[in-house]
Structure formats: C-alpha cells, structure tokens
C-alpha cells in the first residue's frame, strides 16, 4: 500500500542510497563483481556486496536504520580494498568513495535523528 512506500524513514533510506550511488561516478559498485570474469574473487571476499543488492535489500525492508545501510556500504568498500591492491584504480576509487560516502551518511544520521 502507498503508506508503506512513503514513510519518512524509508524515504530517507532511499535518498541516502541514491546519493551514495551518485558518488560512484565510475559505476564500479553498481552490479555484483562478475565471478565468472573474476574466478578468484571469493578467495578474498566472503560476503559480496554492491549497490544493486543494497537496493533489493532496502525495498525488501532489510534496512531498519541508516546504520544498517552504512554496514553494507562499509562491507562493499572493504571488499574492494581487500581484493584490489593499493596500486589499482579500483582501490583508489574505493578510498575516495569511503570519504565522500561517509559525509553523506553522517548527514543522513543527523536527519534521521530529527525525523525520529
Ligand atoms: C568493486 C570491485 O572490486 C570490482 C568491480 N568490478 C570489478 C572487476 C574485476 C575485479 C573487481 C571488480
């Protein structure tokens, strides 16, 4: 029903996730890492995470708070830092997204305190 779609908490979660995705301008986090292209991926990463999975989880009401969203965002970033060595573009992009995403999340935390 409509009222389940527009609760302020869900609206804030959706807008926060959209802002995080916008910061991933290279779109390296939009889809799961393709394990057929990257056969050793699961030797380094035990719990893959990407923005498409986070959208599915959000719409499935798996996130009750900004903190829940932040946990998967941090998992996604740390997976990337683990698999891709320091000298790669992907590693550098992940470090940048960690910074700018952190600011988005801090602002969202403040907003969620005001909507209760
Ligand atoms: C986010 C991430 O690690 C990757 C995103 N696309 C990839 C392609 C090959 C290996 C790793 C990746």
């Amino acid at each position: 029903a409509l009222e389940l779609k527009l609760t302020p908490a869900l609206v804030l979660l959706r807008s926060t996730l959209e802002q995080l995705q916008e910061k991933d301008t290279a779109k390296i986090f939009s889809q799961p890492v393709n394990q057929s292209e990257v056969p050793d991926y699961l030797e380094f990463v035990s719990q893959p995470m990407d923005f498409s999975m986070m959208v599915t989880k959000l719409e499935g009401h798996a996130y009750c708070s900004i903190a829940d969203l932040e946990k998967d965002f941090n998992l996604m970033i740390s997976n990337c830092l683990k698999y891709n060595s320091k000298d790669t573009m992907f590693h550098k992009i992940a470090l940048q997204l960690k910074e700018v995403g952190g600011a988005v999340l801090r602002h969202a935390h403040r907003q969620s305190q005001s909507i209760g």
Side-chain angles (χ1 to χ4, degrees):
L2 186 59
E3 70 278 1
L4 288 179
K5 282 172 74 75
L6 296 177
T7 60
L10 256 185
V11 168
L12 177 61
L13 281 166
R14 280 199 192 99
S15 123
T16 305
L17 184 49
E18 281 163 14
Q19 289 172 64
L20 292 172
Q21 287 198 261
E22 280 162 22
K23 303 297 184 190
D24 174 26
T25 50
K27 298 270 170 269
I28 69 168
F29 296 104
S30 304
Q31 296 298 326
V33 174
N34 186 326
Q35 289 168 34
S36 52
E37 286 167 12
V38 191
D40 67 342
Y41 190 66
L42 293 184
E43 289 166 33
F44 296 81
V45 171
S46 57
Q47 197 184 347
M49 186 51 63
D50 71 284
F51 280 131
S52 72
M53 215 180 289
M54 290 174 71
V55 170
T56 303
K57 285 181 77 171
L58 189 151
E59 296 308 329
H61 302 286
Y63 299 133
C64 300
S65 65
I66 295 292
D68 289 343
L69 191 69
E70 185 163 22
K71 241 175 95 221
D72 273 352
F73 177 76
N74 290 336
L75 170 64
M76 183 182 76
I77 295 288
S78 64
N79 288 344
C80 185
L81 295 175
K82 197 188 298 178
Y83 183 77
N84 301 282
S85 51
K86 279 193 170 31
D87 60 332
T88 62
M89 265 308 286
F90 284 176
H91 192 102
K92 293 174 177 33
I93 290 171
L95 287 174
Q96 284 166 352
L97 185 59
K98 184 177 168 64
E99 290 312 309
V100 293
V104 167
L105 286 157
R106 271 190 301 283
H107 181 254
H109 275 295
R110 286 196 298 275
Q111 281 188 293
S112 73
Q113 279 152 359
S114 69
I115 64 171

